Coordinates of all heavy atoms in Angstrom, one line a residue:
G27 N -3.4 17.8 -19.0 CA -2.9 16.4 -19.1 C -1.5 16.2 -18.8 O -1.0 15.1 -19.0
E28 N -0.8 17.1 -18.2 CA 0.6 17.0 -17.9 C 0.8 16.8 -16.4 O 0.1 17.6 -15.6 CB 1.3 18.1 -18.5 CG 2.5 18.6 -17.6 CD 3.1 20.0 -18.2 OE1 2.3 20.9 -18.5 OE2 4.3 20.0 -18.3
L29 N 1.6 15.8 -16.0 CA 1.9 15.6 -14.5 C 3.0 16.6 -14.1 O 4.1 16.6 -14.7 CB 2.3 14.2 -14.3 CG 2.7 13.9 -12.8 CD1 1.5 14.0 -11.9 CD2 3.3 12.5 -12.8
I30 N 2.6 17.5 -13.2 CA 3.6 18.5 -12.8 C 4.1 18.3 -11.3 O 5.0 18.9 -10.8 CB 3.1 19.9 -13.0 CG1 1.9 20.2 -12.2 CG2 2.9 20.2 -14.5 CD1 1.5 21.7 -12.2
G31 N 3.4 17.3 -10.7 CA 3.8 17.1 -9.2 C 3.1 15.8 -8.7 O 2.1 15.4 -9.3
S32 N 3.7 15.3 -7.7 CA 3.1 14.1 -7.1 C 3.5 14.0 -5.6 O 4.5 14.6 -5.3 CB 3.6 12.8 -7.8 OG 5.0 12.6 -7.7
C33 N 2.8 13.2 -4.9 CA 3.0 13.0 -3.5 C 2.8 11.5 -3.2 O 1.7 11.0 -3.5 CB 2.1 13.8 -2.6 SG 2.3 13.4 -0.8
W34 N 3.9 10.8 -2.8 CA 3.8 9.4 -2.5 C 3.8 9.2 -1.0 O 4.6 9.8 -0.3 CB 5.0 8.7 -3.1 CG 5.2 7.3 -2.9 CD1 4.3 6.4 -2.3 CD2 6.3 6.5 -3.4 NE1 4.8 5.1 -2.3 CE2 6.0 5.1 -3.1 CE3 7.5 6.8 -4.0 CZ2 6.8 4.1 -3.3 CZ3 8.3 5.7 -4.3 CH2 8.0 4.4 -4.0
T35 N 2.8 8.5 -0.5 CA 2.6 8.3 0.9 C 2.8 6.8 1.3 O 2.5 6.0 0.4 CB 1.2 8.8 1.5 OG1 0.2 8.0 0.8 CG2 1.0 10.2 1.2
R36 N 3.1 6.5 2.5 CA 3.2 5.1 3.0 C 2.6 5.1 4.4 O 2.6 6.2 5.1 CB 4.7 4.7 3.1 CG 5.4 4.7 1.8 CD 6.6 3.9 1.9 NE 7.6 4.2 2.9 CZ 8.9 3.9 3.0 NH1 9.4 3.1 2.0 NH2 9.7 4.2 4.0
V37 N 2.3 3.9 4.8 CA 1.7 3.7 6.2 C 2.6 2.8 6.9 O 2.9 1.6 6.3 CB 0.3 3.2 6.2 CG1 -0.2 2.9 7.6 CG2 -0.7 4.2 5.5
H38 N 3.2 3.1 8.0 CA 3.9 2.2 8.8 C 3.1 1.7 10.0 O 2.6 2.5 10.8 CB 5.2 3.0 9.4 CG 6.1 3.5 8.3 ND1 7.1 2.8 7.8 CD2 6.1 4.7 7.8 CE1 7.7 3.5 6.9 NE2 7.1 4.6 6.8
P39 N 2.9 0.4 10.1 CA 2.1 -0.1 11.2 C 2.7 0.2 12.6 O 3.9 0.5 12.7 CB 2.1 -1.6 11.0 CG 2.6 -1.9 9.6 CD 3.4 -0.6 9.3
A40 N 1.9 0.3 13.6 CA 2.4 0.5 14.9 C 3.4 -0.7 15.3 O 3.1 -1.9 14.9 CB 1.2 0.5 15.9
A41 N 4.4 -0.4 16.0 CA 5.4 -1.3 16.4 C 4.8 -2.3 17.5 O 4.3 -1.7 18.5 CB 6.7 -0.7 16.9
E42 N 4.7 -3.6 17.3 CA 4.1 -4.5 18.2 C 5.0 -4.5 19.5 O 4.4 -4.7 20.6 CB 4.1 -5.8 17.6 CG 3.0 -6.0 16.6 CD 3.0 -7.4 16.0 OE1 3.4 -8.4 16.8 OE2 2.5 -7.5 14.9
E43 N 6.3 -4.3 19.4 CA 7.1 -4.4 20.6 C 7.1 -3.0 21.4 O 7.6 -3.0 22.6 CB 8.6 -4.8 20.3 CG 9.3 -3.8 19.4 CD 9.0 -3.9 17.9 OE1 8.2 -4.8 17.5 OE2 9.5 -3.2 17.1
E44 N 6.6 -2.0 20.8 CA 6.5 -0.7 21.4 C 5.0 -0.3 21.4 O 4.6 0.4 20.6 CB 7.3 0.3 20.8 CG 8.8 0.0 20.8 CD 9.5 0.2 22.2 OE1 8.9 1.0 23.0 OE2 10.4 -0.4 22.5
P45 N 4.2 -0.7 22.5 CA 2.8 -0.3 22.4 C 2.4 1.2 22.4 O 1.4 1.5 22.0 CB 2.3 -1.1 23.7 CG 3.5 -1.3 24.5 CD 4.7 -1.4 23.7
D46 N 3.4 2.0 22.7 CA 3.1 3.5 22.8 C 3.5 4.0 21.4 O 3.1 5.2 21.2 CB 4.0 4.2 23.8 CG 3.5 3.8 25.2 OD1 2.2 3.5 25.4 OD2 4.3 3.8 26.2
D47 N 4.2 3.3 20.5 CA 4.4 3.9 19.2 C 3.2 3.7 18.3 O 2.7 2.6 18.1 CB 5.6 3.1 18.5 CG 7.0 3.5 19.2 OD1 7.0 4.5 19.9 OD2 8.0 2.9 18.8
P48 N 2.7 4.9 17.7 CA 1.5 4.8 16.9 C 1.8 4.3 15.5 O 3.0 4.3 15.0 CB 1.1 6.2 16.9 CG 2.4 7.0 17.0 CD 3.2 6.2 17.9
E49 N 0.7 4.0 14.8 CA 0.8 3.9 13.4 C 1.2 5.2 12.8 O 0.7 6.2 13.2 CB -0.6 3.4 12.8 CG -0.6 3.1 11.4 CD -2.0 2.5 11.0 OE1 -3.0 3.0 11.5 OE2 -2.0 1.5 10.4
L50 N 2.1 5.2 11.8 CA 2.6 6.4 11.2 C 2.3 6.5 9.8 O 2.4 5.5 9.0 CB 4.2 6.5 11.3 CG 4.7 6.5 12.8 CD1 6.3 6.5 12.6 CD2 4.3 7.8 13.4
G51 N 1.8 7.8 9.4 CA 1.7 8.0 8.0 C 2.9 8.8 7.6 O 3.4 9.7 8.3
E52 N 3.5 8.4 6.4 CA 4.7 9.0 6.0 C 4.5 9.7 4.6 O 3.9 9.1 3.7 CB 5.9 8.0 5.9 CG 7.1 8.6 5.4 CD 8.3 7.6 5.2 OE1 8.0 6.4 5.3 OE2 9.3 8.0 4.9
I53 N 5.0 10.9 4.5 CA 5.2 11.6 3.3 C 6.5 11.0 2.8 O 7.6 11.4 3.2 CB 5.2 13.1 3.5 CG1 3.9 13.7 4.1 CG2 5.5 13.8 2.1 CD1 2.7 13.4 3.2
F54 N 6.5 10.2 1.8 CA 7.6 9.4 1.3 C 8.4 10.2 0.3 O 9.6 10.3 0.2 CB 7.2 8.0 0.9 CG 8.4 7.1 0.5 CD1 9.3 6.9 1.5 CD2 8.5 6.6 -0.8 CE1 10.4 6.0 1.3 CE2 9.6 5.8 -1.0 CZ 10.5 5.4 -0.1
V55 N 7.7 10.7 -0.8 CA 8.4 11.4 -1.9 C 7.3 12.5 -2.3 O 6.2 12.3 -2.5 CB 8.6 10.5 -3.1 CG1 9.2 11.3 -4.2 CG2 9.5 9.4 -2.7
I56 N 7.9 13.7 -2.4 CA 7.3 14.8 -3.0 C 8.1 15.1 -4.3 O 9.3 15.4 -4.2 CB 7.2 16.1 -2.1 CG1 6.4 15.9 -0.9 CG2 6.7 17.2 -2.9 CD1 5.0 15.8 -1.1
G57 N 7.4 15.2 -5.5 CA 8.1 15.5 -6.6 C 7.4 16.7 -7.4 O 6.2 16.6 -7.5
V58 N 8.1 17.6 -7.8 CA 7.6 18.8 -8.6 C 8.5 19.0 -9.8 O 9.7 19.0 -9.7 CB 7.5 20.1 -7.8 CG1 7.1 21.3 -8.7 CG2 6.6 19.9 -6.5
D59 N 7.8 19.0 -11.0 CA 8.6 19.3 -12.2 C 9.3 20.7 -12.1 O 8.7 21.7 -11.7 CB 7.5 19.5 -13.4 CG 8.1 19.6 -14.7 OD1 9.2 20.4 -14.8 OD2 7.6 19.1 -15.7
P60 N 10.6 20.7 -12.3 CA 11.4 21.9 -12.1 C 10.8 23.1 -13.0 O 11.0 24.2 -12.6 CB 12.8 21.6 -12.7 CG 12.9 20.1 -12.5 CD 11.4 19.5 -12.7
D61 N 10.2 22.8 -14.1 CA 9.6 23.9 -14.8 C 8.4 24.6 -14.1 O 8.0 25.7 -14.6 CB 9.1 23.4 -16.2 CG 10.2 23.0 -17.1 OD1 11.3 23.5 -17.0 OD2 9.9 22.2 -18.1
H62 N 7.9 24.0 -13.0 CA 6.8 24.6 -12.3 C 7.2 24.9 -10.8 O 6.4 25.0 -10.0 CB 5.6 23.5 -12.4 CG 5.2 23.4 -13.6 ND1 4.2 24.2 -14.3 CD2 5.4 22.4 -14.6 CE1 3.9 23.7 -15.5 NE2 4.6 22.7 -15.7
S63 N 8.5 24.9 -10.6 CA 9.0 25.3 -9.2 C 8.7 26.7 -8.8 O 8.4 27.6 -9.7 CB 10.4 25.0 -9.1 OG 11.2 25.9 -9.9
G64 N 8.6 27.0 -7.5 CA 8.4 28.4 -7.1 C 6.9 28.7 -7.0 O 6.5 29.9 -6.9
R65 N 6.0 27.7 -7.2 CA 4.5 28.0 -7.3 C 3.8 27.3 -6.0 O 2.7 27.1 -6.0 CB 4.0 27.4 -8.5 CG 4.5 28.1 -9.7 CD 4.0 27.6 -11.0 NE 2.6 27.2 -11.0 CZ 2.0 26.4 -12.0 NH1 2.8 25.9 -12.9 NH2 0.7 26.1 -11.9
S66 N 4.6 27.1 -5.0 CA 4.1 26.4 -3.7 C 3.5 25.1 -3.9 O 2.6 24.7 -3.2 CB 3.1 27.4 -3.0 OG 3.7 28.6 -2.7
L67 N 3.9 24.4 -5.0 CA 3.3 23.1 -5.3 C 3.7 22.1 -4.2 O 3.0 21.1 -3.8 CB 3.6 22.6 -6.7 CG 3.0 23.4 -7.8 CD1 3.5 22.9 -9.2 CD2 1.5 23.3 -7.7
G68 N 5.0 22.2 -3.7 CA 5.5 21.3 -2.8 C 4.6 21.3 -1.4 O 4.3 20.3 -0.9
A69 N 4.3 22.5 -1.1 CA 3.4 22.7 0.2 C 2.1 22.1 -0.1 O 1.5 21.4 0.8 CB 3.4 24.1 0.6
A70 N 1.5 22.4 -1.3 CA 0.1 21.9 -1.5 C 0.1 20.3 -1.6 O -0.8 19.7 -1.1 CB -0.4 22.5 -2.9
L71 N 1.1 19.8 -2.2 CA 1.2 18.3 -2.3 C 1.4 17.6 -0.9 O 0.8 16.7 -0.7 CB 2.4 17.9 -3.2 CG 2.1 18.2 -4.7 CD1 3.4 18.2 -5.6 CD2 1.0 17.2 -5.3
T72 N 2.3 18.3 -0.1 CA 2.4 17.8 1.2 C 1.2 17.9 2.1 O 0.8 16.9 2.8 CB 3.5 18.6 2.0 OG1 4.8 18.5 1.2 CG2 3.9 18.0 3.3
L73 N 0.5 18.9 2.0 CA -0.8 19.0 2.7 C -1.9 18.1 2.2 O -2.6 17.5 2.9 CB -1.3 20.5 2.6 CG -0.5 21.5 3.4 CD1 -1.0 22.9 3.1 CD2 -0.5 21.2 4.9
D74 N -2.0 17.9 0.9 CA -2.8 16.9 0.3 C -2.5 15.5 0.8 O -3.4 14.7 1.1 CB -2.8 16.9 -1.2 CG -3.6 18.1 -1.8 OD1 -4.3 18.8 -1.1 OD2 -3.4 18.3 -3.0
G75 N -1.2 15.2 0.8 CA -0.8 13.9 1.3 C -1.2 13.7 2.8 O -1.6 12.6 3.2
L76 N -0.9 14.7 3.6 CA -1.3 14.6 5.0 C -2.9 14.4 5.1 O -3.3 13.7 6.0 CB -0.9 15.9 5.7 CG 0.7 15.9 6.0 CD1 1.1 17.3 6.6 CD2 1.3 14.8 6.8
E77 N -3.6 15.2 4.4 CA -5.1 15.1 4.4 C -5.5 13.6 4.1 O -6.4 13.1 4.7 CB -5.7 16.1 3.5 CG -5.6 17.5 4.1 CD -6.2 18.6 3.2 OE1 -7.0 18.2 2.2 OE2 -5.9 19.8 3.4
W78 N -4.9 13.0 3.0 CA -5.2 11.7 2.6 C -4.9 10.7 3.8 O -5.7 9.8 4.1 CB -4.5 11.3 1.4 CG -4.9 10.0 0.8 CD1 -5.8 9.8 -0.1 CD2 -4.4 8.7 1.2 NE1 -5.9 8.4 -0.4 CE2 -5.0 7.8 0.4 CE3 -3.4 8.2 2.1 CZ2 -4.8 6.4 0.5 CZ3 -3.1 6.9 2.2 CH2 -3.8 6.0 1.5
L79 N -3.7 10.9 4.4 CA -3.4 10.0 5.5 C -4.4 10.1 6.6 O -4.8 9.2 7.2 CB -1.9 10.3 6.0 CG -0.8 9.9 5.0 CD1 0.5 10.6 5.3 CD2 -0.7 8.4 4.9
H80 N -4.8 11.4 7.0 CA -5.7 11.6 8.1 C -7.1 11.0 7.7 O -7.7 10.4 8.6 CB -5.8 13.1 8.3 CG -6.7 13.4 9.5 ND1 -8.0 13.8 9.4 CD2 -6.3 13.3 10.8 CE1 -8.5 13.9 10.6 NE2 -7.5 13.7 11.5
A81 N -7.5 11.1 6.4 CA -8.8 10.6 6.0 C -8.8 9.0 6.2 O -9.9 8.4 6.2 CB -9.1 11.0 4.7
H82 N -7.6 8.5 6.2 CA -7.5 7.0 6.3 C -7.2 6.6 7.8 O -6.7 5.4 8.0 CB -6.5 6.4 5.3 CG -7.0 6.4 3.9 ND1 -7.1 7.5 3.1 CD2 -7.6 5.5 3.2 CE1 -7.6 7.3 2.0 NE2 -8.0 6.0 2.0
G83 N -7.4 7.4 8.7 CA -7.3 7.1 10.1 C -6.0 7.4 10.8 O -5.8 7.0 11.9
L84 N -5.0 8.0 10.1 CA -3.8 8.2 10.7 C -3.7 9.6 11.4 O -4.2 10.6 10.8 CB -2.6 8.1 9.7 CG -2.5 6.7 9.2 CD1 -2.5 6.6 7.7 CD2 -1.3 6.0 9.8
S85 N -3.2 9.7 12.6 CA -3.1 11.0 13.3 C -1.7 11.5 13.5 O -1.4 12.6 14.0 CB -3.8 10.9 14.7 OG -3.2 9.9 15.4
T86 N -0.7 10.6 13.1 CA 0.7 11.0 13.3 C 1.5 10.9 11.9 O 1.3 9.8 11.3 CB 1.4 10.0 14.3 OG1 0.7 10.2 15.5 CG2 2.9 10.5 14.6
G87 N 2.1 11.9 11.5 CA 2.8 12.0 10.3 C 4.3 12.1 10.5 O 4.8 12.7 11.5
M88 N 5.1 11.7 9.5 CA 6.5 11.8 9.6 C 7.0 12.0 8.1 O 6.3 11.8 7.1 CB 7.1 10.6 10.1 CG 6.9 9.3 9.4 SD 7.8 7.9 9.9 CE 9.4 8.2 9.1
L89 N 8.3 12.4 7.9 CA 8.9 12.4 6.7 C 10.4 12.5 7.0 O 10.8 12.7 8.1 CB 8.5 13.6 5.8 CG 8.6 15.0 6.5 CD1 10.0 15.6 6.3 CD2 7.6 16.0 5.8
Y90 N 11.1 12.2 5.9 CA 12.6 12.3 5.9 C 13.0 13.4 5.0 O 12.5 13.4 3.9 CB 13.2 10.9 5.5 CG 14.7 11.0 5.3 CD1 15.6 10.8 6.4 CD2 15.2 11.2 4.0 CE1 17.0 10.9 6.2 CE2 16.6 11.3 3.8 CZ 17.5 11.2 4.9 OH 18.8 11.2 4.7
V91 N 14.0 14.1 5.3 CA 14.6 15.1 4.4 C 16.1 15.2 4.7 O 16.6 15.1 5.8 CB 13.9 16.5 4.6 CG1 14.2 17.0 6.0 CG2 14.3 17.5 3.6
D92 N 16.8 15.2 3.6 CA 18.3 15.4 3.7 C 18.7 16.7 4.4 O 18.1 17.7 4.2 CB 18.9 15.5 2.3 CG 19.1 14.1 1.6 OD1 19.1 13.1 2.4 OD2 19.0 14.0 0.4
E93 N 19.6 16.6 5.3 CA 20.0 17.8 6.0 C 20.4 19.0 5.1 O 20.2 20.2 5.5 CB 21.2 17.4 7.0 CG 21.6 18.6 7.9 CD 22.6 18.2 8.9 OE1 23.2 17.1 8.9 OE2 22.8 19.0 9.8
D94 N 21.0 18.7 3.9 CA 21.5 19.8 3.1 C 20.4 20.3 2.2 O 20.6 21.2 1.4 CB 22.7 19.4 2.3 CG 22.5 18.2 1.4 OD1 21.4 17.6 1.5 OD2 23.4 17.9 0.6
N95 N 19.1 19.8 2.3 CA 18.1 20.3 1.5 C 17.3 21.5 2.2 O 16.2 21.2 2.8 CB 17.1 19.2 1.2 CG 16.1 19.6 0.1 OD1 15.8 20.7 -0.1 ND2 15.4 18.6 -0.5
A96 N 18.0 22.6 2.3 CA 17.4 23.7 3.1 C 16.0 24.1 2.7 O 15.2 24.5 3.5 CB 18.4 24.9 3.1
P97 N 15.7 24.2 1.3 CA 14.4 24.6 0.9 C 13.3 23.7 1.5 O 12.3 24.2 2.0 CB 14.4 24.7 -0.6 CG 15.9 24.9 -0.9 CD 16.6 24.1 0.1
A98 N 13.6 22.4 1.4 CA 12.6 21.4 1.9 C 12.4 21.6 3.4 O 11.3 21.5 3.9 CB 13.0 20.1 1.5
R99 N 13.6 21.7 4.1 CA 13.5 21.8 5.5 C 12.7 23.0 6.0 O 11.9 23.0 6.9 CB 14.9 21.9 6.2 CG 15.6 20.5 6.0 CD 17.1 20.6 6.4 NE 17.3 21.3 7.6 CZ 17.9 20.9 8.7 NH1 18.4 19.7 8.8 NH2 18.0 21.6 9.8
R100 N 12.9 24.2 5.2 CA 12.1 25.4 5.6 C 10.6 25.1 5.4 O 9.8 25.6 6.1 CB 12.6 26.6 4.8 CG 13.9 27.2 5.3 CD 14.2 28.5 4.6 NE 14.5 28.4 3.2 CZ 15.5 28.0 2.6 NH1 16.7 27.8 3.2 NH2 15.6 28.0 1.3
L101 N 10.3 24.5 4.2 CA 8.9 24.2 3.9 C 8.3 23.4 5.0 O 7.2 23.7 5.5 CB 8.8 23.4 2.6 CG 7.5 22.8 2.3 CD1 6.4 23.7 2.1 CD2 7.6 21.8 1.1
Y102 N 9.0 22.3 5.4 CA 8.4 21.4 6.3 C 8.2 22.1 7.8 O 7.3 21.8 8.5 CB 9.2 20.1 6.5 CG 9.3 19.3 5.1 CD1 10.4 18.8 4.6 CD2 8.0 19.2 4.4 CE1 10.3 18.0 3.4 CE2 8.0 18.5 3.2 CZ 9.2 18.0 2.7 OH 9.2 17.3 1.5
A103 N 9.2 22.9 8.1 CA 9.1 23.7 9.3 C 7.9 24.6 9.3 O 7.2 24.7 10.3 CB 10.4 24.5 9.6
R104 N 7.7 25.3 8.1 CA 6.5 26.2 8.0 C 5.2 25.4 8.1 O 4.2 25.9 8.6 CB 6.5 26.9 6.6 CG 7.4 28.1 6.6 CD 7.1 29.0 5.3 NE 7.0 28.2 4.1 CZ 7.9 27.9 3.3 NH1 9.2 28.3 3.5 NH2 7.8 27.3 2.1
L105 N 5.2 24.1 7.7 CA 4.0 23.3 7.8 C 3.8 22.7 9.2 O 2.8 21.9 9.4 CB 4.0 22.1 6.8 CG 4.0 22.7 5.3 CD1 4.1 21.5 4.3 CD2 2.8 23.4 5.0
G106 N 4.7 22.9 10.1 CA 4.6 22.5 11.5 C 5.4 21.2 11.8 O 5.3 20.7 13.0
F107 N 6.1 20.6 11.0 CA 7.0 19.5 11.3 C 8.1 20.0 12.2 O 8.6 21.1 12.0 CB 7.5 18.9 10.1 CG 6.6 18.0 9.3 CD1 5.8 18.5 8.3 CD2 6.5 16.7 9.6 CE1 4.9 17.8 7.6 CE2 5.6 15.8 8.9 CZ 4.8 16.4 7.9
T108 N 8.5 19.2 13.1 CA 9.6 19.4 14.0 C 10.7 18.4 13.8 O 10.3 17.2 13.5 CB 9.2 19.5 15.5 OG1 8.6 18.3 15.9 CG2 8.2 20.7 15.7
H109 N 11.9 18.7 14.3 CA 13.0 17.7 14.1 C 12.8 16.6 15.2 O 12.5 16.9 16.3 CB 14.3 18.5 14.4 CG 15.5 17.6 14.3 ND1 16.1 17.1 15.3 CD2 16.2 17.2 13.2 CE1 17.1 16.4 15.0 NE2 17.2 16.5 13.7
H110 N 12.9 15.4 14.7 CA 12.8 14.3 15.6 C 14.2 13.6 15.9 O 14.6 13.4 17.0 CB 11.8 13.2 15.1 CG 11.6 12.0 15.9 ND1 12.3 11.0 15.9 CD2 10.7 11.9 17.0 CE1 11.9 10.0 16.9 NE2 10.9 10.6 17.4
H111 N 14.9 13.1 14.9 CA 16.2 12.5 15.0 C 17.0 12.7 13.7 O 16.5 13.0 12.7 CB 16.1 11.1 15.5 CG 15.6 10.2 14.5 ND1 14.3 10.0 14.2 CD2 16.2 9.4 13.6 CE1 14.2 9.1 13.2 NE2 15.3 8.7 12.8
V112 N 18.3 12.3 13.8 CA 19.2 12.3 12.7 C 19.6 10.9 12.4 O 20.0 10.2 13.4 CB 20.4 13.3 12.9 CG1 21.5 13.1 11.9 CG2 20.0 14.6 13.2
D113 N 19.6 10.5 11.1 CA 20.2 9.3 10.7 C 21.5 9.6 10.0 O 21.6 10.6 9.2 CB 19.3 8.5 9.7 CG 18.0 7.9 10.3 OD1 18.1 7.6 11.5 OD2 17.0 7.9 9.7
R114 N 22.5 8.8 10.3 CA 23.8 9.1 9.6 C 24.2 8.0 8.8 O 24.0 6.8 9.1 CB 24.9 9.4 10.7 CG 24.5 10.6 11.7 CD 25.8 11.2 12.0 NE 25.6 12.2 13.0 CZ 25.3 13.5 12.6 NH1 25.2 13.9 11.4 NH2 25.0 14.4 13.6
V115 N 24.7 8.3 7.7 CA 25.4 7.3 6.8 C 26.9 7.6 6.7 O 27.3 8.8 6.4 CB 24.7 7.4 5.4 CG1 25.3 6.5 4.4 CG2 23.2 7.2 5.4
Y116 N 27.6 6.6 6.8 CA 29.1 6.7 6.8 C 29.6 6.1 5.5 O 29.1 5.1 5.1 CB 29.7 6.0 8.0 CG 29.3 6.7 9.3 CD1 28.2 6.2 10.0 CD2 30.0 7.8 9.8 CE1 27.9 6.8 11.2 CE2 29.6 8.4 11.0 CZ 28.5 7.9 11.7 OH 28.1 8.5 12.8
S117 N 30.7 6.7 5.0 CA 31.3 6.1 3.8 C 32.9 6.1 4.1 O 33.3 6.8 4.9 CB 30.9 6.7 2.6 OG 31.4 8.1 2.6
G118 N 33.5 5.4 3.3 CA 34.9 5.3 3.4 C 35.6 4.5 2.3 O 34.9 4.0 1.4
T119 N 36.9 4.4 2.4 CA 37.6 3.7 1.4 C 37.9 2.3 2.0 O 38.4 2.2 3.1 CB 38.9 4.4 1.1 OG1 38.6 5.7 0.6 CG2 39.6 3.6 0.0
I120 N 37.7 1.3 1.1 CA 38.0 -0.1 1.6 C 39.2 -0.5 0.8 O 39.3 -0.4 -0.4 CB 36.8 -1.0 1.2 CG1 35.6 -0.6 1.9 CG2 37.2 -2.5 1.5 CD1 34.3 -1.3 1.5
R121 N 40.2 -1.0 1.6 CA 41.4 -1.4 1.0 C 41.3 -3.0 0.9 O 41.1 -3.7 1.9 CB 42.6 -1.1 1.9 CG 43.9 -1.1 1.3 CD 44.9 -0.6 2.2 NE 45.4 0.6 1.5 CZ 46.5 1.2 1.9 NH1 47.1 0.9 3.0 NH2 46.9 2.1 1.2
V122 N 41.5 -3.5 -0.3 CA 41.5 -4.9 -0.6 C 42.8 -5.4 -0.9 O 43.5 -4.8 -1.8 CB 40.5 -5.3 -1.7 CG1 40.4 -6.7 -2.0 CG2 39.0 -4.7 -1.5
G123 N 43.2 -6.5 -0.4 CA 44.5 -7.2 -0.8 C 45.6 -6.7 0.0 O 46.6 -6.6 0.2

């Protein structure tokens, strides 16, 4: 009766302006209770999410992972994901007045 992990998926429609871009299934969030880490639950949840997306007609999957999250990057590489692109976020100090 206890929730120890979850997988949140999303579907991104094909881009109308890019006819070659497919509809995408996204693994949006994988969550595992820290008390249950180290039991390969992240991999199992990711695979379950991909299977769910595939069962709903999606053949292309994607996910986002922070560059500094080495354990997740290793997991996704083991599952066959490859690097596609990098999004950068910039921050700085704003001087007012």
Side-chain angles (χ1 to χ4, degrees):
E28 144 185 45
L29 179 66
I30 61 172
S32 64
C33 175
W34 181 1
T35 60
R36 297 194 308 191
V37 175
H38 298 271
E42 289 182 24
E43 64 277 0
E44 294 290 334
D46 292 334
D47 283 354
E49 185 174 46
L50 294 173
E52 179 181 8
I53 301 296
F54 186 60
V55 176
I56 297 289
V58 175
D59 182 323
D61 291 340
H62 297 274
S63 66
R65 297 174 44 195
S66 299
L67 294 174
L71 289 165
T72 303
L73 292 172
D74 283 349
L76 292 171
E77 287 177 16
W78 187 92
L79 291 165
H80 187 263
H82 287 82
L84 293 130
S85 60
T86 303
M88 63 171 279
L89 56 82
Y90 169 85
V91 63
D92 284 329
E93 185 174 7
D94 62 350
N95 189 342
R99 289 172 46 123
R100 284 190 299 273
L101 166 66
Y102 300 136
R104 279 195 313 270
L105 295 177
F107 282 89
T108 58
H109 181 262
H110 184 271
H111 71 276
V112 173
D113 290 328
R114 300 213 185 272
V115 176
Y116 297 92
S117 66
T119 303
I120 298 173
R121 196 173 243 193
V122 179

